[in-house]
């Protein structure tokens, strides 16, 4: 990997950033079956094949509607308890019910205006945030 400095850059050119291609989370070495059980079995994402050179490193990748998650195996794994992806979903209550039915945590948080959300964790303790836009408030009835 080459690091470039400001002096290495060409004159300013227009560009855009986003959307994200994927998010990577760390998982313990040898945990691929547990990853599959969670990301496919519980959340319903499809596993996608890793390129052979990357597959040799372990871990696995998953994709769903508008999301791709790469799970990288680490021998000295430590869960991300603060850093987390924020995943937009529909039917947030149905997802919360599904997670709870699988014995996974659901901690509701109403501190983000305009969204309903909760935090949970994957089977390894990595923090995950699931959110959906809050329904707009009904307009007040006009005074008679």
């Amino acid at each position: 990997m080459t690091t470039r400095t400001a002096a290495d850059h060409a004159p300013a050119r227009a560009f855009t950033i986003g959307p994200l291609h994927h998010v990577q989370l760390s998982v313990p070495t040898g945990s691929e079956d547990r990853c599959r059980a969670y990301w496919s079995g519980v959340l319903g994402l499809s596993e996608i094949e890793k390129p052979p050179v990357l597959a040799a490193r372990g871990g696995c990748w998953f994709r769903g509607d508008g999301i791709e998650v790469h799970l990288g195996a680490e021998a000295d794994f430590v869960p991300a308890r603060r850093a987390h992806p924020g995943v937009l979903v529909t039917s947030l209550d149905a997802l919360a019910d599904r997670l709870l039915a699988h014995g996974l945590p659901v901690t509701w948080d109403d501190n983000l205006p305009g969204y309903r959300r909760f935090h949970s964790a994957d089977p390894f303790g990595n923090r995950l945030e699931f959110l959906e836009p809050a329904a707009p408030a009904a307009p007040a009835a006009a005074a008679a």
Side-chain angles (χ1 to χ4, degrees):
M1 184 161 130
T2 304
T3 303
R4 296 176 62 181
T5 67
D8 297 327
H9 292 274
R13 294 181 283 181
F15 63 90
T16 59
I17 295 178
L20 286 175
H21 178 270
H22 69 273
V23 62
Q24 177 152 338
L25 299 172
S26 295
V27 296
T29 300
S31 65
E32 289 82 2
D33 287 343
R34 289 179 67 197
C35 292
R36 290 179 183 101
Y38 179 76
W39 290 96
S40 285
V42 176
L43 296 183
L45 301 181
S46 298
E47 185 170 2
I48 57 176
E49 187 174 342
K50 292 177 67 172
V53 69
L54 298 177
R57 300 178 186 173
C60 39
W61 294 358
F62 298 89
R63 182 181 292 150
D65 188 20
I67 183 172
E68 190 166 310
V69 179
H70 295 183
L71 304 171
E74 288 190 305
D76 57 349
F77 168 76
V78 175
R81 298 193 191 283
R82 181 84 175 142
H84 62 276
V87 181
L88 287 170
V89 300
T90 58
S91 303
L92 190 64
D93 294 303
L95 175 58
D97 291 345
R98 183 160 179 84
L99 292 171
L100 290 168
H102 283 86
L104 296 159
V106 171
T107 305
W108 290 94
D109 180 339
D110 62 358
N111 293 318
L112 184 60
Y115 291 89
R116 296 182 61 239
R117 71 178 181 163
F118 64 79
H119 291 95
S120 188
D122 71 6
F124 316 106
N126 287 312
R127 185 179 188 191
L128 304 171
E129 178 180 331
F130 297 101
L131 63 163
E132 74 178 336

